[in-house]
């Protein structure tokens, strides 16, 4: 074996290989050319993007779908700043991500210097660990620490800066990347299970809330068994959609909408909440425990955040699937009210049916959700970008498997879905991938169409066209009774898509959407579908929800 010292660029690449990295998403800069060059022939595919923000969203979505940190890379200063949004999104969405950036040479960091800003300070609040590589020999430890930190529960983002002179410097001897070691979950403590069982056993109406942590833990099967054995209803967070199949008789739908939605009514009468892999960052628990009087059993790998509306009665920290099995074994009976309240399921189904039958043009959002569901198979992936469309998708889209309906609910950023779809397709090549975005969100990162076309990553973008920041109009109308500063105009989206070498489609009647979606999804190409939507349904929905009264 070669025992000669090696430069940091090559050592860094070997360390990434040891971590199993498949892709680096990024834009090179003058200060990291050695690293980018060293990736050649490494087996790691460098995906050149058109904005570092796109790279950060790609890394995030890769991390979300694989559980292994997605890697994004940028130059110093402006490039690194552009990585911030996806990095923060990953942290708040509990997704493993490693952001790499160049930095000016150590010899000039003590002074005012071209393109130099203090990036470690800048990334610290949006990462679990932010550090600068100070000397070549530290690289194996720092890379291992970065991936271990990012990938262990609670996963999140990590940032490493590599100064230009360090990147070109040599180690003192040939170093070996550190072996990958995974932090495994402990079995839940028997004493905690017994305490949790006591709370659940004495409950009158328990309800389960499953968050994204349950998806990360692969606890879907255990969750279904738990629901069936105890006969309890299960709601998911927006972020956890699909971790409990929405076509199961005990499914209560997703909770997190800005108003008291159907699913919320399922929580009103509950006295005990069994929260599985839920983090309060996913949505404010005031929505399900407004008086703070419900007993909470918290099953997760780590303790819950302190929150007035989420005061844990019993916390069980450890392997989530094992905790569910043990808890089901320890609760001696089934609950009579178990299945999801029929009325809630019926209301959700009615809304989708209304959509399915609507021939209105522009399309009502319910029709869009119904057609997207009809076009995608159970395991295909839809990314719903932040906006009014996300609200409709989160509430109504029936998801049947974890991580098949992806949205950002930690930071709720706009603009992630197109770059995210590129990574989703790379991470899950067998699945068809749809990015559903408002026209505002699409234009925030539409340059990544070029990346998708050049890198030959087939995907479909469904743009909901309303020529405004519709969600904000909705909120302004709800709370102020008027809206201002939310309208804009769009380019010709079909011509725009075609100018990138993508295929463009314009929906002209309600009946056109489903066949166009099916055609685009089956096509081995990048497609953009411009679909006009009628968001007068938004206020109709919130008015209607305001008039709903429980108990259900
Ligand atoms: C990066 C970012 N900027 C602003 C916001 C605030 N915001 C949330 S939704 C929204 C409007 C989304 O508009 P569009 O993408 O057109 O979707 P629509 O609501 O019209 O369906 C805005 C401005 C945000 N969440 N993220």
């Amino acid at each position: 074996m070669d025992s000669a010292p090696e430069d940091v660029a090559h050592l860094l690449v070997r360390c990434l290989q040891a971590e199993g990295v498949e892709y680096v998403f990024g834009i090179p800069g003058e200060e990291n050319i050695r690293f980018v060059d060293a990736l050649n022939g490494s087996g790691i595919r460098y995906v050149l993007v058109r904005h570092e923000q796109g790279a950060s969203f790609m890394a995030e979505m890769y991390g979300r779908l694989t559980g292994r940190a997605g890697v994004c890379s940028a130059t110093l200063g402006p490039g690194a700043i552009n990585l911030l949004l996806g990095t923060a999104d990953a942290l708040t969405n509990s997704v493993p991500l490693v952001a790499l950036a160049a930095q000016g040479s150590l010899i000039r960091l003590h002074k005012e210097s071209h393109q130099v800003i203090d990036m470690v300070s800048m990334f610290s609040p949006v990462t679990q660990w932010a550090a600068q590589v100070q000397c070549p020999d530290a690289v194996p430890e720092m890379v291992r620490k970065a991936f271990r930190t990012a990938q262990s529960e609670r996963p999140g983002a990590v940032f490493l800066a590599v100064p230009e002179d360090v990147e070109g410097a040599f180690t003192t001897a040939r170093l070996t990347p550190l072996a990958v070691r995974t932090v495994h979950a402990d079995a839940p403590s028997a004493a905690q299970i017994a305490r949790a069982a006591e709370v659940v056993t004495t409950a009158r109406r328990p309800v389960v809330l499953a968050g994204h942590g349950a998806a990360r833990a692969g606890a879907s099967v255990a969750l279904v068994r738990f629901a069936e054995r105890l006969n309890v209803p299960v709601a998911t967070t927006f972020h956890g959609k699909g971790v409990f199949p929405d076509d199961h008789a005990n499914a209560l739908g997703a909770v997190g909408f800005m108003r008291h939605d159907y699913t919320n009514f399922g929580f009103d009468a509950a006295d005990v909440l069994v929260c599985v892999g839920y983090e309060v960052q996913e949505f404010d628990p005031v929505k399900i425990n407004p008086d703070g009087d419900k007993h909470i059993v918290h099953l997760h790998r780590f303790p819950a955040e302190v929150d007035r509306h989420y005061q844990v009665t019993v916390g069980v920290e450890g392997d989530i699937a094992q905790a569910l099995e043990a808890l089901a074994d320890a609760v001696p009976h089934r609950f009579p009210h178990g299945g999801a309240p029929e009325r809630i399921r019926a209301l959700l189904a009615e809304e989708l049916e209304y959509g399915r039958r609507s021939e209105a043009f522009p399309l009502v959002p319910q029709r869009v959700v119904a057609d997207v569901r009809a076009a995608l198979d159970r395991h295909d992936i839809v990314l719903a970008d932040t906006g009014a469309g996300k609200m409709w998708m989160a509430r109504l889209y029936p998801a049947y498997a974890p991580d098949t309906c992806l949205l950002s609910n930690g930071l709720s950023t706009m603009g992630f879905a197109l770059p995210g779809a590129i990574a989703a397709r790379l991470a899950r090549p067998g699945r068809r991938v749809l990015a559903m975005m408002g026209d505002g969100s699409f234009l925030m990162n539409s340059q990544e169409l070029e990346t998708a076309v050049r890198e030959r990553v087939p995907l479909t973008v469904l743009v909901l066209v309303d020529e405004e920041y519709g969600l904000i109009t909705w909120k302004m109308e709800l709370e102020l009774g008027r809206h201002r500063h939310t309208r804009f105009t769009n380019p010709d989206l079909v011509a725009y898509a075609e100018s990138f070498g993508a295929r463009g489609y314009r929906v002209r009647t309600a009946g056109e959407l489903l066949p166009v979606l099916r055609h685009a999804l089956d096509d081995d190409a990048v497609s953009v579908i411009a679909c006009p939507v009628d968001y007068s349904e938004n206020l109709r929905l919130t008015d209607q929800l305001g008039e709903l009264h429980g108990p259900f």
Side-chain angles (χ1 to χ4, degrees):
M1 194 187 109
D2 189 358
S3 61
E6 184 183 32
D7 69 11
V8 162
H10 286 87
L11 177 58
L12 186 55
V13 170
R14 282 202 301 123
C15 290
L16 297 183
Q17 286 173 313
E19 296 292 339
V21 172
E22 297 177 290
Y23 300 97
V24 171
F25 304 98
I27 298 181
E30 290 170 73
E31 290 74 12
N32 67 354
I33 52 174
R34 285 173 186 76
F35 166 64
V36 174
D37 184 58
L39 285 166
N40 288 329
S42 69
I44 298 175
R45 178 166 159 194
Y46 188 85
V47 177
L48 181 72
V49 303
R50 302 307 302 272
H51 191 304
E52 292 87 348
Q53 189 183 108
S56 64
F57 288 138
M58 290 175 204
E60 179 188 8
M61 218 36 84
Y62 179 89
R64 176 154 176 191
L65 287 170
T66 62
R68 301 197 311 273
V71 180
C72 50
S73 162
T75 191
L76 75 174
I81 291 170
N82 279 347
L83 290 181
L84 263 176
L85 187 55
T87 304
D89 206 49
L91 181 80
T92 53
N93 287 333
S94 305
V95 170
L97 172 148
V98 171
L100 302 173
Q103 179 54 298
S105 291
L106 290 175
I107 192 68
R108 63 184 174 102
L109 291 188
H110 60 284
K111 61 185 179 186
E112 178 184 307
S113 183
H114 181 63
Q115 287 192 307
V116 167
I117 43 140
D118 178 357
M119 295 186 324
V120 170
S121 295
M122 189 176 77
F123 275 89
S124 288
V126 298
T127 54
Q128 294 179 328
W129 184 50
Q132 179 169 291
V133 181
Q134 301 290 9
C135 69
D137 287 8
V139 168
E141 280 179 3
M142 292 187 80
V143 172
R144 182 77 277 272
K145 178 169 169 173
F147 281 80
R148 201 277 317 267
T149 306
Q151 291 170 179
S152 306
E153 283 288 336
R154 177 180 182 179
V158 165
F159 172 75
L160 286 183
V162 185
E164 185 180 10
D165 51 358
V166 175
E167 185 183 275
F170 281 75
T171 53
T172 51
R174 176 89 175 176
L175 298 177
T176 328
L178 300 191
V180 175
R181 296 189 198 281
T182 308
V183 181
H184 290 287
D186 280 339
S189 121
Q192 291 303 83
I193 290 290
R195 290 183 59 220
E198 202 179 310
V199 175
V200 177
T201 304
T202 52
R204 279 177 297 104
R205 277 179 176 266
V207 171
V208 177
L209 172 69
H212 189 251
R216 295 198 300 275
S220 278
V221 172
L223 194 56
V224 170
R225 279 171 53 83
F226 182 83
E228 289 174 354
R229 287 176 64 189
L230 269 59
N231 197 30
V232 286
V234 180
T236 72
T237 61
F238 282 6
H239 206 182
K241 271 184 84 70
V243 67
F244 192 80
D246 278 317
D247 53 356
H248 192 284
N250 293 54
L252 200 54
V255 68
F257 187 53
M258 55 183 164
R259 283 290 187 270
H260 206 73
D261 207 343
Y262 312 137
T263 303
N264 292 77
F265 286 97
F267 286 86
D268 291 346
D271 55 342
V272 170
L273 306 182
V274 180
C275 299
V276 186
Y278 162 67
E279 287 134 38
V280 299
Q281 200 150 29
E282 298 188 55
F283 74 89
D284 191 335
V286 72
K287 289 183 199 296
I288 50 170
N289 191 16
D291 303 320
D293 56 352
K294 299 185 194 303
H295 286 293
I296 292 174
V297 174
H298 175 83
L299 309 185
H300 212 323
R301 292 280 297 274
F302 48 88
E305 173 64 300
V306 173
D307 189 295
R308 180 181 304 283
H309 298 280
Y310 197 76
Q311 299 194 44
V312 173
T313 313
V314 182
V316 181
E317 281 99 46
D319 183 87
I320 293 177
Q322 286 183 45
L324 284 165
E325 294 286 351
L327 189 53
D329 285 344
V331 175
H333 60 265
R334 286 165 60 80
F335 290 87
H337 307 294
E342 287 308 313
R343 182 143 176 239
I344 293 174
R345 294 178 60 79
L347 284 164
L348 287 166
E350 263 168 42
E351 248 192 82
L352 262 190
E353 189 52 31
Y354 162 76
R356 216 170 277 128
R357 289 167 187 272
S358 166
E359 292 299 327
F361 186 84
L363 281 77
V364 296
Q366 297 94 322
R367 168 95 200 215
V368 178
V369 176
D371 284 3
V372 168
R373 183 61 279 176
L376 294 175
D377 293 338
R378 288 179 83 85
H379 293 282
D380 288 337
I381 295 171
V382 56
L383 300 93
D385 215 297
T386 304
K390 159 184 157 180
M391 295 300 168
W392 288 100
M393 283 293 281
R395 302 177 55 247
L396 282 188
Y397 182 76
Y400 307 126
D403 286 329
T404 53
C405 178
L406 305 172
L407 30 82
S408 165
N409 224 40
L411 199 65
S412 283
T413 182
M414 291 168 69
F416 77 89
L418 166 54
I422 294 175
R425 184 70 194 217
L426 292 173
R428 293 273 178 274
R431 311 270 186 92
R432 298 181 305 164
V433 176
L434 176 70
M436 178 172 157
M437 317 178 74
D439 40 9
S441 302
F442 175 61
L443 263 288
M444 279 191 179
N445 272 321
S446 54
Q447 75 284 345
E448 301 308 336
L449 282 177
E450 193 278 331
T451 306
V453 170
R454 173 173 34 83
E455 294 283 334
R456 298 183 194 284
V457 183
L459 54 88
T460 303
V461 187
L462 173 61
V463 185
L464 306 179
V465 180
D466 64 339
E467 305 205 320
E468 64 181 330
Y469 293 117
L471 183 73
I472 309 305
T473 300
W474 190 357
K475 182 95 173 177
M476 284 181 175
E477 287 290 344
L478 265 180
E479 297 192 3
L480 310 175
R482 58 181 177 276
H483 65 276
R484 298 274 187 279
H485 309 306
T486 55
R487 291 203 62 81
F488 50 71
T489 57
N490 287 314
D492 175 337
L493 293 171
V494 171
Y496 185 68
E498 287 170 352
S499 73
F500 283 98
R503 303 203 206 291
Y505 302 92
R506 186 171 285 112
V507 172
R508 291 197 177 82
T509 63
E512 273 179 28
L513 176 60
L514 184 54
V516 167
L517 267 173
R518 286 190 165 133
H519 175 77
L521 285 162
D522 284 341
D523 202 358
D524 194 27
V526 178
S527 304
V528 176
I529 304 170
C531 178
V533 285
D534 173 12
Y535 277 146
S536 59
E537 288 289 324
N538 294 351
L539 279 172
R540 220 169 67 85
L541 171 70
T542 32
D543 288 349
Q544 195 180 310
L545 291 178
E547 285 161 17
L548 267 184
H549 295 287
F552 283 6

